């Protein structure tokens, strides 16, 4: 098992261990069904077992790992019900944010899209997730309503994982940024209805493609 470099010397590693494991789960380095143990993680990250135990406990609470027969835990599968819940929340937030941003004739930094397209040509799924989330945060901030971004943070763990699931679909990487560009264009043009529609459709496309990847059928909204 190898998914990251050793962590720098710190007195409290719980948050760092949690973030490393979350990133590895999100980008597919730790695939669903993979068994990990406290000892393996502690050795890999060069930390004691105590922060690993606490980080794994939090990941279990978040539904990202589950008890395994015998020793260790298993990376939880991408659950279709959770995916549905996440994208319903994200769809509401994204549609609202895009509409409010369009009302303000906001301009989304084109560098975010340029950089996102560039990153999507590579193989760094983690960087792609970060770029995707940076675009959506920019839309939330452009809305002028700070509670939208605050609300998204409540679901950040699951948003990050499902984004990773979609981004791992190679055929989706370019369309994601084409859709981002269209949303940004509608916002800058002040087209509220179009911005809202495109933002909502963007989330529906992501949900449908991820569920299709898992061999599942999506229910009509």
């Amino acid at each position: 098992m190898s998914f990251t470099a050793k962590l720098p010397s710190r007195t409290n590693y719980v948050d760092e261990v949690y973030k490393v494991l979350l990133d590895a789960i999100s980008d597919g380095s730790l695939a669903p069904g993979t068994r990990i143990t406290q000892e393996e993680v502690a050795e890999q990250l060069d930390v004691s077992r105590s922060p690993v135990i606490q980080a794994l406990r939090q990941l279990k609470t978040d539904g990202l790992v589950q008890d395994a027969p015998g020793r260790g835990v298993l990376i939880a599968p991408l659950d279709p019900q959770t995916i549905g819940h996440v994208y319903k929340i994200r769809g509401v937030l994204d549609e609202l944010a895009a509409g409010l941003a369009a009302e303000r004739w906001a301009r989304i930094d084109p560098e975010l899209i340029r950089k996102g397209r560039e990153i999507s040509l590579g193989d760094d799924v983690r960087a792609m997730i970060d770029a995707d989330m940076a675009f959506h945060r920019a839309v939330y901030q452009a809305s002028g309503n700070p509670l939208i971004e605050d609300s998204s943070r409540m679901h950040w763990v699951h948003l990050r994982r499902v984004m990773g699931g979609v981004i791992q679909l190679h055929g989706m990487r370019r369309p994601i940024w084409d859709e981002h560009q269209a949303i940004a264009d509608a916002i800058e043009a002040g087209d509220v209805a179009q911005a809202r529609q495109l933002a909502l459709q963007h989330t529906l496309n992501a949900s449908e493609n991820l569920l299709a990847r898992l061999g599942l059928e999506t229910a009509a909204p």
Side-chain angles (χ1 to χ4, degrees), residues 94-171:
D94 285 11
E95 182 183 12
L96 175 61
L100 291 174
E103 288 178 4
R104 306 173 77 213
W105 300 73
R107 182 173 184 267
I108 306 301
D109 186 355
E111 180 63 16
L112 290 174
I113 297 176
R114 187 204 65 77
K115 184 176 179 181
R117 289 189 187 278
E118 180 181 320
I119 291 172
S120 72
L121 298 175
D123 297 314
D124 190 341
V125 173
R126 196 172 303 179
M128 294 179 203
I129 297 171
D130 289 339
D132 195 336
M133 296 192 76
F135 172 81
H136 287 283
R137 281 197 301 269
V139 175
Y140 297 157
Q141 291 164 6
S143 75
N145 186 335
L147 295 182
I148 295 177
E149 186 174 7
D150 290 345
S151 297
S152 75
R153 288 196 191 101
M154 295 172 60
H155 312 287
W156 178 79
V157 170
H158 296 292
L159 284 169
R160 190 170 183 83
R161 190 181 189 195
V162 296
M163 277 185 175
V166 172
I167 287 170
Q168 288 172 54
L169 301 171
H170 288 269

Side-chain angles (χ1 to χ4, degrees), residues 38-70:
Q38 301 165 9
E39 294 81 7
E40 288 174 328
V41 175
E43 180 179 0
Q44 176 73 29
L45 301 182
D46 195 24
V47 297
S48 70
R49 288 176 56 190
S50 178
V52 175
I53 291 170
Q54 294 181 62
L56 289 175
R57 185 178 297 126
Q58 183 59 51
L59 288 167
K60 183 178 178 182
T61 299
D62 291 337
L64 299 183
V65 303
Q66 51 192 217
D67 291 330

Side-chain angles (χ1 to χ4, degrees), residues 7 9 14 20 24 26 29 46 65 70 83 106 111 171 187 207 211 216:
L7 292 175
S9 178
V14 177
V20 164
S26 299
S29 300
D46 195 24
V65 303
I83 292 170
E111 180 63 16
I187 289 173
S207 177
L211 289 170
L216 301 166

